[in-house]
Amino acid sequence: MTFRNKLIATAFIALTSLNIQAAPITFFGEDLGLGEGTALNVFPNATTAESNFLSYLNGVGTEDFESFSQGTSAPLALDFGVAGTATLGGGGSVQSAPVGSTNGFGRYGTSGTNYWQASSTSFTIGFSAPVAAFGFYGIDIGDFNGQVVVNVTYSDTTTESFNIGNSINTSGGGVLFWGLINQAKTFTNLSFSNTSGNDSFAFDDMTIGSVEQIRDTNPIPAPASILLFALGLSCLVSRRRKQS
């Protein structure tokens, strides 16, 4: 193989490996609460985080829990429309609070009246098909010193844990959004826990997306671009050789 061909091959491998090694992208926005009896009418930081998350996705589905009766416990069959389905298991139940109000303990839905109220024990979500994106709203998290931890099981059976980093010891009724996109590795299961064993949280508007629904977060350069890049390096090296 000539030096020039070696250079082109090396450039191709280097450029394409950028996409293979793409790291997970996380999204986070938090609006602190005003007390357990007050529902936030707007939550701009959380909404902005959700908008940024959704900007990477096409045609995703959201579960808002409005189709479930109050008091329904796990297992729950979650429906994300064309994005797929999932089964929610573990501790908790569907609860309800009038729009603009809390349940008296800082929890309420971010859309509609219903939300998933997780008990102090963990809960899980198992997807019917591997997904590459997941996001959710969390309500009344952190007022009892707890931070939510999301444990991800990937399709290759490896796992990864994300502490979403919410504020602690705050007033109740706060709202946050957290999202994860991993274009390189799909995942099949999520489990949620908190660092404080004596707190309950509310979750609403869970969104999932498949690999096909992701707008490329780290696109592979087109073959022509790779070739031009490699040829440019080749010309540069040749010029330096002539000048030496």
Side-chain angles (χ1 to χ4, degrees), residues 40-102:
L40 297 181
N41 294 320
V42 293
F43 21 90
N45 296 329
T47 301
T48 297
E50 182 195 31
S51 296
N52 291 336
F53 171 75
L54 293 176
S55 71
Y56 283 86
L57 304 169
N58 288 302
V60 295
T62 299
E63 173 62 76
D64 59 11
F65 300 97
E66 296 302 311
S67 63
F68 297 99
S69 301
Q70 183 174 358
T72 303
S73 58
L76 261 62
L78 306 183
D79 185 0
F80 297 94
V82 296
T85 60
T87 300
L88 187 153
S93 62
V94 176
Q95 296 297 322
S96 181
V99 175
S101 303
T102 75

Side-chain angles (χ1 to χ4, degrees), residues 126-202:
F127 302 104
S128 57
V131 301
F134 179 82
F136 67 88
Y137 276 97
I139 306 95
D140 195 44
I141 294 177
D143 54 336
F144 280 93
N145 201 38
Q147 290 187 309
V148 168
V149 177
V150 182
N151 302 293
V152 180
T153 301
Y154 292 108
S155 299
D156 62 3
T157 73
T158 59
T159 60
E160 188 171 10
S161 294
F162 298 87
N163 186 320
I164 68 174
N166 58 275
S167 300
I168 59 175
N169 294 324
T170 59
S171 298
V175 175
L176 63 82
F177 180 87
W178 187 86
L180 166 69
I181 293 177
N182 194 332
Q183 192 177 19
K185 295 176 66 174
T186 57
F187 43 96
T188 57
N189 186 275
L190 302 174
S191 66
F192 296 76
S193 59
N194 66 80
T195 58
S196 174
N198 61 346
D199 198 4
S200 295
F201 307 131

